[in-house]
Amino acid sequence: MIKYNAVQKKYLYKREDIDKIIEHIQNGNFYNEDNCTQEKIMSLAKMIDDFMNRIKIISENVVLERNETEEEARKYFGDEFISKFDQLLTSLDNQETVVAIHGTSTELCPNICEEGLEYRTPSLSSTAVQQKMNWGQKEMHYEDYEGLLNWKHKQYKGLVILAIPYECFYKEGLWNHFQDSRASAYGVADYKIDPDFIVGYIDVTNKNIVLNPKYTRQHHYTDYVEDNELFRKQDNMDNESLKQAMRKRTIQPNAEIHSNESSQSEEKEFDMSRTPYIIEELIGEFNSIKLGFPDGMSESRYNDFLEQLSYGFNEVLKNISLLKTEEQVKEERKERLSMFNEHVEENNQSEQSDFTDIEWDDNIDWEDTTFQETHKEIHH
């Protein structure tokens, strides 16, 4: 990370404005469709508009941090490190393996090389990042040294290098299910990638690659568990077939990209049934501002807020004519009440009709107990 001085905008807001908006939404019961009327939405829009108009923008001197550029990261590691790492990747690519990197503290790396990489589920993507490979076509030249220097997960400086054999994608297991602690606390690691899959680790701080003497390309695979995500059993597959298939995928990515872009560019009709959820999500949005930026929003947070409004609430406002008015809701309630009353009246008339249709015998002995019991049953 590189520190630098900068002038930054700060967006000062009125806390009471946020409190009013949150209270308005909480009391509005917008999950009830009848409460999502044009008038109530416009009332909320007016409150948000007032909040925005009362924001005061100031400038202040701050010390910020940024990640190094790719050029700066390459300069940090140096030519010798880059050459060594590229040679290692090329060797692993030719061994028909896919490299994955797990970030951790440098102090833990030697033990992982010795004992294996443990995790609570057999899922490589949850604990390591697969790297782009050349599938044996040419020498490897790594392209993301900025990513190595500024590892996305906790800025870790110990990067464990794993070599995942091609056969683990279609035929063999990868994980050693070395214990079963399901009865114990959640989070216990029951699976591990054994040391013979671990090439070594990168010490980012000292710009050094430490190789693991336990690594080998030959694995026994006995009782190993397949990876939850990368494994797809294919009986007719072999390493050469996988390599050829992956080469074709890397040669023709643009067709898929353009296809996705064209489908995403098609404008979709806004789903107004999402309105109650969009309104309720505003509570979390305003609370995050109040709690995370109590003294005023940074420029990036302010822009995020505008994007959030644009993604949801502004779409509701654009299509507000599709919502009911207060008058329409009143009329619908009257109509529902009228239908209910008619239904009740029909039931009452039906019950009376059933009772009056009984044929009475003029010779009934009204003191007779059998008749009295029958009479009770009719009424009950």
Side-chain angles (χ1 to χ4, degrees):
M1 301 291 285
I2 296 177
K3 293 183 178 181
Y4 63 99
N5 296 318
V7 176
Q8 190 177 55
K9 290 180 180 179
K10 194 170 185 178
Y11 294 74
L12 307 179
Y13 59 84
K14 299 289 184 182
R15 190 182 181 90
E16 58 268 26
D17 289 345
I18 285 185
D19 291 334
K20 286 178 182 177
I21 291 170
I22 292 174
E23 183 181 4
H24 178 78
I25 297 173
Q26 288 175 333
N27 294 338
N29 188 22
F30 285 96
Y31 271 127
N32 184 336
E33 186 182 346
D34 281 354
N35 291 327
C36 287
T37 62
Q38 294 183 23
E39 290 84 354
K40 288 182 178 177
I41 297 298
M42 289 305 299
S43 176
L44 176 59
K46 175 68 166 56
M47 296 176 76
I48 294 176
D49 195 43
D50 290 343
F51 164 77
M52 301 288 291
N53 290 333
R54 293 176 67 182
I55 288 176
K56 182 180 179 183
I57 305 174
I58 64 171
S59 297
E60 58 181 3
N61 296 318
V62 294
V63 177
L64 300 177
E65 289 184 332
R66 67 168 176 82
N67 288 348
E68 288 81 354
T69 64
E70 181 65 19
E71 183 180 353
E72 289 169 337
R74 285 175 173 271
K75 187 176 180 180
Y76 170 85
F77 282 108
D79 292 340
E80 184 178 348
F81 178 95
I82 290 174
S83 176
K84 185 177 179 180
F85 190 50
D86 282 353
Q87 288 175 24
L88 177 62
L89 291 177
T90 300
S91 173
L92 295 171
D93 190 50
N94 290 332
Q95 290 177 26
E96 299 185 334
T97 67
V98 174
V99 171
I101 296 178
H102 166 79
T104 186
S105 65
T106 310
E107 293 75 19
L108 292 178
C109 289
N111 184 65
I112 292 174
C113 288
E114 180 69 23
E115 303 293 336
L117 176 63
E118 298 181 1
Y119 198 62
R120 59 180 178 269
T121 61
S123 178
L124 181 70
S125 64
S126 297
T127 190
V129 180
Q130 289 186 54
Q131 303 299 301
K132 179 182 176 183
M133 306 303 290
N134 285 342
W135 307 100
Q137 297 180 94
K138 56 186 177 180
E139 290 185 355
M140 292 283 296
H141 293 286
Y142 198 66
E143 299 176 350
D144 189 20
Y145 284 95
E146 184 276 320
L148 293 184
L149 182 55
N150 301 290
W151 194 250
K152 288 182 172 57
H153 185 51
K154 298 184 179 180
Q155 291 281 318
Y156 278 133
K157 299 304 179 185
L159 305 178
V160 177
I161 305 169
L162 308 168
I164 312 302
Y166 287 2
E167 54 266 28
C168 290
F169 287 80
Y170 64 88
K171 182 173 68 172
E172 303 290 356
L174 173 64
W175 294 86
N176 179 357
H177 192 183
F178 69 100
Q179 66 179 13
D180 192 345
S181 58
R182 284 176 293 178
S184 62
Y186 171 78
V188 175
D190 289 334
Y191 300 86
K192 69 177 179 178
I193 296 177
D194 283 335
D196 47 305
F197 292 88
I198 299 174
V199 179
Y201 65 92
I202 299 172
D203 181 341
V204 175
T205 303
N206 293 309
K207 294 171 270 191
N208 190 25
I209 300 173
V210 181
L211 297 178
N212 180 18
K214 289 194 170 185
Y215 170 73
T216 176
R217 180 57 178 85
Q218 305 304 316
H219 311 287
H220 60 77
Y221 296 118
T222 306
D223 297 326
Y224 279 172
V225 175
E226 295 90 352
D227 190 272
N228 279 345
E229 297 177 16
L230 65 84
F231 181 82
R232 296 289 184 275
K233 185 173 178 59
Q234 298 184 60
D235 294 330
N236 298 325
M237 179 70 72
D238 58 25
N239 283 2
E240 187 61 31
S241 299
L242 177 66
K243 189 188 302 183
Q244 294 300 325
M246 295 308 296
R247 284 177 179 177
K248 290 179 181 178
R249 286 182 67 179
T250 55
I251 291 172
Q252 302 172 338
N254 291 336
E256 295 179 10
I257 292 172
H258 292 318
S259 175
N260 290 337
E261 286 177 350
S262 62
S263 62
Q264 290 173 3
S265 63
E266 294 178 6
E267 191 171 345
K268 295 180 180 179
E269 185 177 342
F270 183 72
D271 182 5
M272 290 302 285
S273 67
R274 291 177 50 221
T275 300
Y277 303 97
I278 290 172
I279 302 303
E280 292 294 327
E281 285 171 1
L282 287 175
I283 295 178
E285 188 66 23
F286 279 104
N287 268 326
S288 73
I289 293 173
K290 187 170 71 170
L291 298 175
F293 298 84
D295 299 325
M297 287 181 280
S298 65
E299 186 169 9
S300 61
R301 184 64 186 88
Y302 177 76
N303 290 333
D304 286 344
F305 172 68
L306 293 181
E307 187 176 346
Q308 247 344 83
L309 285 181
S310 178
Y311 175 73
F313 189 64
N314 287 349
E315 287 298 317
V316 173
L317 294 179
K318 287 179 186 176
N319 297 276
I320 197 166
S321 62
L322 301 178
L323 295 175
K324 300 172 186 175
T325 64
E326 296 280 352
E327 186 62 32
Q328 286 173 328
V329 170
K330 275 185 186 178
E331 290 300 319
E332 287 182 2
R333 284 175 178 167
K334 283 182 183 178
E335 187 176 343
R336 288 197 296 266
L337 181 60
S338 175
M339 291 175 64
F340 174 76
N341 289 335
E342 288 177 7
H343 181 68
V344 170
E345 182 66 25
E346 288 175 0
N347 285 343
N348 288 338
Q349 291 176 359
S350 176
E351 289 175 3
Q352 292 175 6
S353 174
D354 290 343
F355 186 76
T356 54
D357 286 345
I358 297 175
E359 295 184 4
W360 299 98
D361 187 346
D362 293 337
N363 297 319
I364 290 176
D365 182 357
W366 295 93
E367 299 299 326
D368 181 65
T369 56
T370 302
F371 168 77
Q372 290 176 5
E373 292 300 321
T374 305
H375 184 66
K376 287 179 183 177
E377 290 178 5
I378 290 173
H379 282 275
H380 292 281

